[in-house]
Amino acid sequence: MFAASQSDPNSGWEAKAVEFFKDHLKEKDAPTSVPSLNDVPLHYLKPNSLVKFRCLIQDMFDPEFYMGVYETVDPATKAKVLRCGKYKDVTECGVSRVDFNSRNTVTAERQTFYCVPIPGENPWVKEISSLSRVVPSTSYAPTRQKRSYEEDDEMDDMDTQPQKQREPHPGMTQNVGHGNGDCKRQETEAPSSQTASTSHLDLNFPLPGEKGPSCLVKVYENWDNFKLNDTLEVYGILSVSPALSALADEKDASSSIMDPTESMETAEEQRVHCPPASLVPRLHMLHARPVSHNNPLLPSATLEDNSAFLSSTLSEMASVRAELLTYFTHILLGDALAAEYLILHLISNVYSRRDVLPLGKFTLNLSGCPTASYTERLYQIIQQLVPSSYYLGMSLQNMNQMRLVPKKDYVANRLASGVLQLARHTSLFLDEIQLEQGQLDTTGVRNVTALGNLITWQKVDYDFNYHQMEFPCNINVLIVSEGRSLLPSDCQIHLQSQVTPANMEEYLSSIHMHTQTSSQLNKFRIYLSVARLLDYNISDEMTKSVEDDFVDMRKDDPQSVSAEDLHRMLVVARLLSLSLGQTSLSRDSWLRAKHIDMLRRSRMEQHKCVNGNEP
Amino acid sequence: MDTELSATVVVFTFFPRSYLLRTANKCKRFLQEFYSEDENGKKVFKYGAQLVALAHREKVSVYVELDDVAEEDPELVESICENAKRYTGLFADAVHELLPEYKEKDVRLFAQLILYVLMMEQRGRDPLYFKPPSTTKPKVVRDVRADSIGNLVTVRGIVTRATEVKPMMAVATYTCDQCGAETYQPIQSPSFMPLIMCPSQECVTNKSGGRLYLQTRGSKFVKFQEIRIQEHSDQVPVGNIPRSMSIYARGENTRLAQPGDHVAITGVFLPLLRTGFKQAVQGLLSETYMEAHSITLMNKTEDDELGNEDLTEEELRSITEEGFYEKLAGSIAPEIYGHEDVKKALLLLLVGGVEQAPKGMKIRGNINICLMGDPGVAKSQLLSYIDRLAPRSQYTTGRGSSGVGLTAAVMRDPMTGEMTLEGGALVLADQGICCIDEFDKMADADRTAIHEVMEQQTISIAKAGIMTSLNARCSILAAANPAYGRYNPRKSIEQNIQLPAALLSRFDLLWLIQDKPDADADLRLAQHITYVHQHCRQPPTHFTPIDMKLMRRFLAVCKKRQPVVPEALADYITAAYVEMRKEARVSKDTTFTSARTLLSILRLSTALARLRMMESVEKEDVNEAMRLMEMSKDSLQADKSSTTRAQRPADVIFSLVRELSTEGVAGRGGAGGVVRMAEAEQRCVSRGFTPAQFQEALEEYEELNVWQVNQGRSRITFV
């Protein structure tokens, strides 16, 4: 690939090459023309081709030192050739040998990130993002698969010559689409290679039961800008050289007594850091784009850059909100207030942190849920609406056995993932109805504490054995429970069903059937994602009136309103405004926020009296 | 930062021969000629002595202190630091050449030694280690990058893994099956290719083709251990995973550290060269490791995070300027609004009083504070902030810890079966702060375990055959909820707190943080909260909070002071104490005014003096200490009156005047309890009361004998 530039390693071609790719990826269709590791199975991708990968940084390994430039000597002719080691895993020397003592060797540093697909990504996201690549006018002629491969080669060739201007190639997009469609069908036929091997190799996904490729991403520049749990779209060169796997095997076999250093790199560590490339491909990063949301329905560029889209959505917002409210009201057994709060919850977002205090979090506790099957249904509906979510049944067994908090495994030298290692904006659905009587053991207590910390501070303390490290997160937690949840929450609302369907099952399934057409659903999806990304501010006059209001409220009944309540009300007002597409707080929204908060409180009080189990 | 550097080139720089010779001579000269003068002016040849010891096999390694080298030749130090591996070899050569000269006595007497020494002379050098110049700063693992390859670097971290100590072949000895000659092969790398053909003169000339066999007994082995360290949690940027680094320790450096230890390691950062097939498949990557020259165990408290250097003049000035006390207090948990007095108390807790030990009786200097209050008044936040601010602290919750967990547990070591003591939170917080949240939720039996700690500052253990007393010189910061969830004004204080008197009296200060309605405070609170929501940051205050790191360093400096109470103040304090006792008797005080109170006042005043960086306590310190005491008591009692107080204007005016009087104590250092009439009236009028109301209140309270108004009606004196 870099043959042309190898003769002159210092010409700054590296920067140029990266620049070239960046420029191309800025073009409108370019990103879609690059095959994605997320949808295309690995064995359909050409090695050393440009691919993209939407992922979450799960772990960061120690930096690697590699030979940026090295010299090979042909044993026969003694001819010396300088070669470039960037974006490569293995030396290419053919018959010649690498001259390790050459003075021309340049050692450089790169960083390895272990990346996994975004945890909890819902099926509809995957579906849509893979669909968007297929050009409508395709016929599934199996014979064309061969051609597509050839053209892939072509494309690869083009990649290898960055100096030549690559023109947007209409055929290319098609090909990838084809390959994609074909693989989809074939994946079901031959799943053995993937699943069989994962059984002995833990790919370290945060959530149990996740599938998909994980990747070792090699970063060459600015690696300090990336943080753990960042979601990225990585564009890079795929490397699946079998030599990498050979390396791993070799190590195991040749552990000799004479070499005491061998024992340090345990077998587990080897397995983790050098897994077979067929399972965990290497990706040499050329360019990475932070993913602010993983909703494929939204343009991937930031909202500010896409004002047309923004204004069109904003204008629709109020109406979509009304529809969504009706929909939720229906689902929540006719409880409009709860539906309102559910919308607010779904668009909440930690927008800022003040020292330890996260602002904007809005954990909702939906109490008074009728049955277990109801909550599952509820989750299914939410799953349909948000890009990523996870259902955590808080059964005793789960709490006692699951690993919620990521833990550093010093034997394998990696961060063993846990359920709470989630990307931001993930909806975590805690089903407390599953909880039965019994005893929590040590793990259980720790897990519950971790959940509590997550809700109160929006942070997870990763366990590094000798100490703990705080990692801030941004997860929407929704707790459904019968009574008040044992976990803290920002806001609790008791479900008051207006309708009492004779047969709950039937009613629920009818809701599910009722599920809108996909265009409607898509509207909801866009709405929820956009509302979360909007900017928001409070004017000075509003601030003043809010302050006065607060003082007045305190005067009337000091016990009823505390600082925490004000915090919450401001968050509610914020979310309420945003849900209506307003980017600043208005008097109306504030009053409305106050109103619904009062309604909610009065309902809680009522409920307390009925229940009588609260002091 | 440009990380690309021809690092390998640095390691393998080939010196011109003449230069090499010159440098070798330099090394030799240094070893021979370096001396320091002892107090008698006699020359002490430091390295000469080491060489003698080495020659007599009394020592096995030489330590070269680069500080010494710097005295002779600063440039040489620089080159050593940059190319340490090569200079290790040069110095070792020099040592080797010099050794025979330093042999003073006949070692041949020791039969076994002869063989050994002979062997040593023939092959292999003695290990030589550099001690880094004291001026070098330890690096963070993260900052050791490609450009550090070949350099002598010092890193700090926590040991996460240490292998068994294994013998590593340093010199392989072979014997020939034909001629019996011994052949030696020095080994540098982790793996080696054994020799096969005998190179001896006899075999070569005879072409007998003698085979060599490895002699394990004749070979020289060194101890070898590999250690993995990981950077400290506070050196990791937010959102990153801590980095780690491999350390190779040989010889005397082995077995110095165990997993979990905090260490500072000096060594040479080197690429790991593989040979043979591995080199081929390894391809482009080169692993790196650090060859340890010295490993020092560190105590977490002496950690570098404080910064060893003293505060600069500028920093000192920025802290000790006008109103520094309020500023420092305000910098504690700036995101929590209000609670100035509580924060002041916490500041004093961080500084701590002076410990006294007259005639073996120890009086603690640490200040214990208990915060009580309604749920949601940011008690836990204050606690967690203190936990983060204090250089050494432990955070536990009452519900999550048992008495054993707090003090110490006797455990059976799974490996050896021995009984070992495992320190609990209080032991681990020795010389620091132990924050206990949800103090009230603790079981009574567990709570009694800390009685001893709070006064005697030790933990005595008598279990499973282990009888000992551990130091637990920690301040305790506890947070508790009132017994009924919320503070119930209809119940008495004892009922509300439900902590035994024995425990309560051990706290120097008890604060009841209550959510009390007050229009003014409410407005400020609302402003604060809305501002935070509006601008996503802290509202601008008249000061910028002091940076946590600076604060830590300042507190560390403060702690070094040992202020004393001057003779003159003793009377004042005793008088004040007697007064307090009297008051307590009269008002049926529910808190405990005992001898401990007196000690508390002393502790608080010394802490205040420390904060001012003074060597003696002044009257203001005592006054402020008493004010804090008073305020803490007030916080407990005020609400009692709140039930009866129906917010009559007279009552409000009274409290305003009282507030004014206490302010007088704090601010201008005037005598406590005296308020100028004009000032009081002005204050009341500014709060919206008519002068008539003020006069009315004045008379009413005078009748109640709460205060006295002097003849000229210009002064109000509190009784």
Side-chain angles (χ1 to χ4, degrees):
Chain A
M1 168 153 199
F2 300 101
S5 26
Q6 270 164 12
S7 50
D8 186 9
N10 300 321
S11 63
W13 60 270
E14 290 165 3
K16 273 187 220 152
V18 171
E19 209 44 50
F20 169 83
F21 280 111
K22 271 187 196 159
D23 285 349
H24 264 265
L25 291 171
K26 262 186 210 136
E27 283 169 27
K28 207 161 166 32
D29 300 329
T32 43
S33 66
V34 179
S36 164
L37 259 182
N38 294 84
D39 336 305
V40 186
L42 191 57
H43 45 284
Y44 285 98
L45 288 168
K46 272 282 290 176
N48 299 331
S49 65
L50 184 71
V51 293
K52 66 176 174 185
F53 185 40
R54 195 173 62 246
C55 59
L56 168 113
I57 302 175
Q58 193 270 322
D59 195 1
M60 293 163 152
F61 294 156
D62 291 329
E64 293 179 329
F65 294 95
Y66 69 101
M67 288 184 282
V69 178
Y70 59 97
E71 203 168 26
T72 53
V73 189
D74 195 315
T77 59
K78 297 269 176 240
K80 289 189 173 181
V81 184
L82 270 185
R83 284 173 188 280
C84 170
K86 211 175 178 182
Y87 308 120
K88 300 270 174 59
D89 282 310
V90 210
T91 49
E92 327 169 295
C93 29
V95 282
S96 49
R97 286 187 309 109
V98 179
D99 180 9
F100 283 97
N101 296 326
S102 161
R103 308 197 65 169
N104 291 321
T105 310
V106 175
T107 310
E109 194 180 355
R110 67 185 176 203
Q111 174 79 46
T112 312
F113 293 151
Y114 186 83
C115 294
V116 294
I118 296 173
E121 205 171 55
N122 284 326
W124 65 267
V125 176
K126 294 191 175 117
E127 213 166 277
I128 291 172
S129 50
S130 61
L131 268 177
S132 65
R133 238 153 252 118
V134 181
V135 176
S137 66
T138 47
S139 55
Y140 284 111
T143 46
R144 289 193 59 177
Q145 203 197 329
K146 249 185 192 163
R147 230 201 92 206
S148 78
Y149 267 172
E150 281 158 19
E151 284 203 13
D152 261 349
D153 282 3
E154 234 177 279
M155 179 180 111
D156 188 49
D157 284 345
M158 274 170 30
D159 278 345
T160 60
Q161 290 158 357
Q163 273 77 11
K164 258 193 227 165
Q165 277 301 308
R166 186 176 69 174
E167 259 137 70
H169 198 292
M172 203 162 71
T173 39
Q174 246 179 11
N175 286 325
V176 181
H178 276 303
N180 196 6
D182 288 336
C183 330
K184 269 214 166 277
R185 267 184 285 138
Q186 291 185 357
E187 204 175 17
T188 46
E189 290 160 25
S192 53
S193 68
Q194 285 260 341
T195 47
S197 34
T198 40
S199 58
H200 75 265
L201 194 92
D202 178 15
L203 285 178
N204 211 4
F205 292 122
L207 303 178
E210 287 260 305
K211 272 207 288 289
S214 52
C215 218
L216 280 170
V217 176
K218 312 268 179 182
V219 187
Y220 288 85
E221 51 188 3
N222 297 334
W223 52 75
D224 290 337
N225 297 349
F226 300 107
K227 287 188 180 150
L228 197 76
N229 301 344
D230 273 2
T231 44
L232 304 170
E233 189 155 59
V234 179
Y235 292 89
I237 299 163
L238 184 71
S239 161
V240 283
S241 170
L244 286 170
S245 327
L247 185 68
D249 295 342
E250 183 52 39
K251 276 262 171 82
D252 289 343
S254 70
S255 55
S256 65
I257 322 147
M258 282 302 163
D259 188 356
T261 56
E262 207 64 31
S263 59
M264 190 64 177
E265 289 242 314
T266 54
E268 290 96 74
E269 192 172 347
Q270 250 327 298
R271 257 211 297 278
V272 168
H273 288 264
C274 291
S278 53
L279 271 179
V280 182
R282 315 295 195 266
L283 199 59
H284 297 269
M285 182 196 282
L286 288 168
H287 175 59
R289 212 169 45 76
V291 182
S292 57
H293 62 89
N294 58 336
N295 190 340
L297 297 166
L298 257 62
S300 53
T302 49
L303 284 176
E304 291 82 54
D305 300 347
N306 211 323
S307 50
F309 175 79
L310 186 62
S311 57
S312 73
T313 351
L314 275 185
S315 61
E316 272 184 7
M317 237 150 151
S319 66
V320 180
R321 184 183 194 277
E323 281 173 51
L324 189 59
L325 190 64
T326 343
Y327 180 49
F328 276 160
T329 313
H330 194 67
I331 292 159
L332 295 173
L333 310 172
D335 188 342
L337 187 64
E340 185 110 25
Y341 270 99
L342 186 58
I343 293 179
L344 299 187
H345 163 75
L346 287 177
I347 63 169
S348 69
N349 168 32
V350 177
Y351 60 94
S352 169
R353 247 163 225 286
R354 173 58 224 162
D355 258 354
V356 286
L357 193 74
L359 294 175
K361 68 178 173 102
F362 195 67
T363 305
L364 188 65
N365 176 11
L366 204 59
S367 57
C369 290
T371 57
S373 66
Y374 176 75
T375 57
E376 272 160 34
R377 275 285 150 75
L378 188 61
Y379 174 68
Q380 280 165 11
I381 286 156
I382 288 172
Q383 202 180 15
Q384 284 294 317
L385 293 173
V386 296
S388 36
S389 60
Y390 182 65
Y391 174 88
L392 180 62
M394 284 179 66
S395 63
L396 260 190
Q397 196 194 5
N398 267 351
M399 293 319 283
N400 281 341
Q401 286 172 3
M402 267 175 119
R403 189 171 60 206
L404 291 189
V405 176
K407 184 178 191 308
K408 177 86 176 182
D409 177 358
Y410 283 108
V411 179
N413 195 16
R414 71 158 170 199
L415 188 70
S417 193
V419 170
L420 293 186
Q421 192 176 19
L422 294 172
R424 49 192 190 140
H425 298 337
T426 308
S427 290
L428 182 64
F429 191 92
L430 296 177
D431 191 350
E432 217 179 86
I433 291 187
Q434 306 265 345
L435 197 62
E436 63 268 31
Q437 265 193 352
Q439 190 150 26
L440 283 177
D441 57 19
T442 338
T443 344
V445 172
R446 224 171 274 152
N447 280 341
V448 173
T449 321
L451 282 177
N453 271 341
L454 170 73
I455 292 165
T456 334
W457 306 112
Q458 285 287 334
K459 61 155 191 182
V460 181
D461 286 322
Y462 288 17
D463 184 2
F464 277 82
N465 203 353
Y466 305 104
H467 55 89
Q468 301 201 322
M469 278 196 57
E470 252 175 47
F471 282 87
C473 55
N474 187 354
I475 301 171
N476 292 4
V477 187
L478 178 64
I479 311 163
V480 290
S481 57
E482 229 161 314
R484 211 169 76 97
S485 166
L486 79 141
L487 294 166
S489 61
D490 295 318
C491 173
Q492 185 212 343
I493 182 151
H494 195 81
L495 203 61
Q496 261 177 0
S497 65
Q498 307 295 320
V499 279
T500 35
N503 191 340
M504 190 62 91
E505 274 303 309
E506 226 163 74
Y507 180 77
L508 289 171
S509 49
S510 78
I511 301 173
H512 215 58
M513 286 300 110
H514 188 64
T515 306
Q516 272 74 359
T517 51
S518 69
S519 74
Q520 181 103 25
L521 264 182
N522 282 352
K523 242 199 261 171
F524 290 162
R525 290 165 183 169
I526 293 174
Y527 166 78
L528 289 176
S529 294
V530 168
R532 177 181 280 165
L533 292 171
L534 286 176
D535 276 334
Y536 173 77
N537 62 318
I538 308 174
S539 64
D540 286 339
E541 303 97 78
M542 260 331 281
T543 318
K544 191 85 199 61
S545 81
V546 168
E547 284 161 17
D548 293 344
D549 251 8
F550 178 68
V551 175
D552 287 347
M553 277 190 277
R554 292 272 294 186
K555 233 179 234 161
D556 294 347
D557 184 4
Q559 284 304 311
S560 67
V561 192
S562 68
E564 231 160 80
D565 292 321
L566 181 61
H567 268 294
R568 192 188 49 241
M569 260 153 28
L570 278 167
V571 172
V572 169
R574 172 197 160 88
L575 295 172
L576 206 60
S577 309
L578 288 179
S579 76
L580 290 163
Q582 299 161 348
T583 52
S584 65
L585 182 63
S586 65
R587 181 89 205 148
D588 280 353
S589 309
W590 170 246
L591 290 178
R592 214 175 128 61
K594 255 176 41 178
H595 178 67
I596 64 169
D597 203 60
M598 218 177 62
L599 280 182
R600 185 186 67 84
R601 277 150 160 273
S602 66
R603 185 187 284 191
M604 250 164 68
E605 226 114 277
Q606 222 177 348
H607 182 65
K608 239 182 239 172
C609 302
V610 173
N611 247 9
N613 57 0
E614 301 262 337
Chain B
M1 184 177 168
D2 186 14
T3 52
E4 288 192 18
L5 203 111
S6 46
T8 21
V9 182
V10 173
V11 179
F12 303 107
T13 310
F14 298 102
F15 296 112
R17 224 188 136 58
S18 61
Y19 176 75
L20 212 61
L21 215 64
R22 213 157 359 108
T23 328
N25 280 334
K26 239 192 234 171
C27 302
K28 222 193 265 182
R29 203 154 11 122
F30 168 75
L31 288 175
Q32 279 175 307
E33 290 174 8
F34 180 82
Y35 64 87
S36 55
E37 284 183 6
D38 62 3
E39 58 267 32
N40 303 332
K42 240 176 105 183
K43 286 179 183 176
V44 178
F45 288 91
K46 201 170 172 183
Y47 295 100
Q50 277 201 43
L51 288 176
V52 172
L54 190 68
H56 298 145
R57 312 307 314 160
E58 283 157 0
K59 281 179 87 168
V60 288
S61 52
V62 183
Y63 287 93
V64 176
E65 282 180 39
L66 292 183
D67 276 339
D68 296 342
V69 181
E71 276 178 37
E72 299 273 306
D73 187 352
E75 271 173 44
L76 187 62
V77 176
E78 230 165 81
S79 5
I80 290 176
C81 286
E82 271 164 25
N83 202 349
K85 183 80 179 166
R86 163 125 341 230
Y87 277 93
T88 314
L90 283 173
F91 267 94
D93 283 345
V95 169
H96 186 68
E97 275 174 47
L98 288 174
L99 263 195
E101 297 172 26
Y102 281 89
K103 210 172 282 173
E104 282 166 3
K105 56 183 175 196
D106 204 3
V107 255
R108 271 161 228 280
L109 289 172
F110 311 100
Q112 285 143 332
L113 268 179
I114 302 172
L115 230 171
Y116 185 62
V117 172
L118 275 178
M119 242 171 67
M120 293 308 301
E121 278 166 8
Q122 277 176 17
R123 43 205 157 96
R125 307 268 181 265
D126 291 298
L128 181 134
Y129 302 113
F130 288 119
K131 274 202 183 140
S134 45
T135 48
T136 47
K137 280 215 183 112
K139 277 193 165 183
V140 182
V141 173
R142 192 165 287 272
D143 291 341
V144 178
R145 315 174 84 138
D147 55 358
S148 313
I149 285 181
N151 291 9
L152 191 72
V153 284
T154 306
V155 291
R156 291 191 172 187
I158 182 168
V159 178
T160 58
R161 195 196 299 170
T163 56
E164 304 268 292
V165 176
K166 291 180 189 158
M168 187 185 202
M169 199 172 274
V171 180
T173 306
Y174 303 90
T175 43
C176 174
D177 62 345
Q178 293 291 324
C179 61
E182 282 199 334
T183 308
Y184 308 110
Q185 180 192 20
I187 292 161
Q188 306 287 332
S189 58
S191 56
F192 68 100
M193 177 70 80
L195 299 176
I196 295 169
M197 300 308 287
C198 178
S200 73
Q201 197 67 37
E202 204 181 323
C203 281
V204 172
T205 41
N206 291 351
K207 290 210 174 60
S208 56
R211 291 260 159 190
L212 288 179
Y213 289 94
L214 187 65
Q215 299 292 312
T216 338
R217 286 188 64 183
S219 301
K220 184 191 173 194
F221 291 90
V222 291
K223 288 183 276 184
F224 176 86
Q225 187 181 27
E226 192 170 348
I227 297 166
R228 175 69 62 86
I229 63 165
Q230 180 186 281
E231 53 191 344
H232 285 312
S233 50
D234 51 324
Q235 295 165 336
V236 186
V238 176
N240 276 280
I241 296 275
R243 298 262 174 88
S244 57
M245 183 188 257
S246 297
I247 313 283
Y248 287 5
R250 284 170 224 267
E252 297 302 291
N253 280 329
T254 52
R255 278 206 190 96
L256 286 180
Q258 282 173 335
D261 287 345
H262 291 264
V263 289
I265 298 180
T266 307
V268 193
F269 189 54
L270 292 170
L272 182 63
L273 294 178
R274 297 229 180 261
T275 46
F277 178 65
K278 253 177 247 145
Q279 189 176 35
V281 285
Q282 180 189 9
L284 292 160
L285 295 185
S286 56
E287 286 163 52
T288 51
Y289 70 99
M290 197 160 102
E291 178 94 45
H293 274 229
S294 77
I295 298 179
T296 339
L297 282 183
M298 293 194 307
N299 201 340
K300 179 85 169 80
T301 41
E302 294 152 19
D303 221 355
D304 58 324
E305 63 196 316
L306 291 175
N308 294 334
E309 72 272 27
D310 279 344
L311 294 162
T312 59
E313 278 294 309
E314 200 182 324
E315 283 170 330
L316 258 185
R317 215 174 320 120
S318 77
I319 293 179
T320 51
E321 64 194 3
E322 194 63 23
F324 75 101
Y325 178 47
E326 282 76 23
K327 184 169 170 179
L328 278 171
S331 302
I332 292 178
E335 75 271 12
I336 297 164
Y337 175 76
H339 304 318
E340 281 86 6
D341 279 334
V342 179
K343 285 182 183 178
K344 280 177 186 167
L346 291 179
L347 179 66
L348 296 184
L349 173 124
L350 283 167
V351 178
V354 178
E355 187 183 298
Q356 260 119 4
K359 297 192 197 99
M361 187 181 80
K362 227 164 72 178
I363 298 172
R364 75 183 151 98
N366 293 320
I367 297 168
N368 300 325
I369 293 180
C370 180
L371 304 177
M372 281 172 297
D374 298 340
V377 286
K379 293 187 303 292
S380 302
Q381 279 182 57
L382 280 172
L383 248 66
S384 77
Y385 192 90
I386 294 293
D387 178 47
R388 277 188 303 152
L389 181 62
R392 184 170 184 153
S393 65
Q394 289 289 322
Y395 185 96
T396 65
T397 61
R399 223 186 309 207
S401 40
S402 63
V404 173
L406 280 174
T407 56
V410 179
M411 313 267 282
R412 191 179 286 276
D413 191 64
M415 298 292 285
T416 58
E418 278 174 40
M419 293 294 203
T420 52
L421 266 183
E422 194 110 326
L426 290 168
V427 179
L428 293 178
D430 185 29
Q431 304 279 30
I433 293 168
C434 187
C435 303
I436 307 175
D437 207 351
E438 319 229 14
F439 197 55
D440 52 320
K441 312 281 192 303
M442 240 165 123
D444 277 339
D446 296 332
R447 221 186 280 139
T448 47
I450 69 173
H451 280 202
E452 187 193 352
V453 178
M454 290 183 70
E455 212 50 65
Q456 268 68 48
Q457 305 266 288
T458 54
I459 288 171
S460 305
I461 301 236
K463 38 186 152 184
I466 295 182
M467 255 159 269
T468 183
S469 190
L470 301 169
N471 271 330
R473 292 155 293 181
C474 61
S475 303
I476 288 176
L477 175 58
N481 285 329
Y484 305 100
R486 259 184 186 276
Y487 196 90
N488 189 343
R490 277 180 288 275
K491 297 249 164 56
S492 75
I493 290 179
E494 293 101 322
Q495 281 172 318
N496 266 315
I497 302 173
Q498 280 200 344
L499 288 176
L503 199 57
L504 281 182
S505 68
R506 281 175 161 86
F507 283 107
D508 295 301
L509 290 172
L510 286 163
W511 288 98
L512 179 68
I513 307 178
Q514 246 193 315
D515 203 12
K516 271 182 288 183
D518 171 6
D520 255 11
D522 287 349
L523 183 64
R524 271 180 291 158
L525 178 65
Q527 274 166 352
H528 182 88
I529 293 174
T530 46
Y531 191 93
V532 169
H533 277 263
Q534 187 181 1
H535 301 279
C536 307
R537 65 191 163 82
Q538 213 55 30
T541 35
H542 49 282
F543 68 91
T544 41
I546 296 166
D547 173 58
M548 234 194 204
K549 280 211 174 100
L550 181 63
M551 187 121 158
R552 267 187 218 139
R553 285 164 57 200
F554 177 70
L555 291 178
V557 173
C558 288
K559 277 189 182 175
K560 289 192 187 125
R561 304 272 162 171
Q562 300 288 339
V564 290
V565 182
E567 199 81 27
L569 266 181
D571 287 343
Y572 180 75
I573 296 172
T574 19
Y577 171 64
V578 170
E579 197 60 34
M580 278 171 92
R581 287 279 284 186
K582 206 190 283 169
E583 206 175 294
R585 263 201 306 279
V586 172
S587 68
K588 292 208 194 75
D589 199 347
T590 37
T591 51
F592 306 92
T593 311
S594 61
R596 278 192 171 130
T597 321
L598 181 59
L599 289 174
S600 299
I601 292 177
L602 284 172
R603 268 192 286 273
L604 291 172
S605 358
T606 45
L608 277 160
R610 267 184 172 182
L611 207 58
R612 288 188 299 115
M613 310 250 258
M614 290 295 163
E615 290 302 344
S616 68
V617 177
E618 282 172 29
K619 205 166 179 180
E620 282 97 272
D621 297 330
V622 182
N623 283 339
E624 169 66 11
M626 292 210 297
R627 188 190 70 87
L628 280 176
M629 284 295 254
E630 201 53 45
M631 290 310 285
S632 86
K633 268 191 198 150
D634 264 9
S635 76
L636 287 172
Q637 266 150 13
D639 52 276
K640 207 182 204 179
S641 50
S642 80
T643 48
T644 53
R645 189 207 295 166
Q647 292 293 325
R648 284 190 314 130
D651 293 327
V652 182
I653 289 169
F654 169 70
S655 65
L656 278 173
V657 175
R658 191 172 61 180
E659 207 178 293
L660 204 64
S661 78
T662 49
E663 264 171 41
V665 176
R668 270 138 292 176
V674 180
V675 182
R676 302 224 331 265
M677 180 77 92
E679 218 173 320
E681 191 168 358
Q682 196 188 354
R683 168 75 64 104
C684 296
V685 171
S686 73
R687 295 290 167 93
F689 297 106
T690 58
Q693 273 174 327
F694 175 68
Q695 291 301 334
E696 206 174 293
L698 210 61
E699 269 158 41
E700 189 181 326
Y701 275 89
E702 201 176 3
E703 262 167 46
L704 290 173
N705 226 354
V706 176
W707 60 41
Q708 283 172 348
V709 183
N710 66 345
Q711 285 296 316
R713 293 196 79 78
S714 66
R715 243 170 238 287
I716 307 168
T717 315
F718 279 80
V719 175

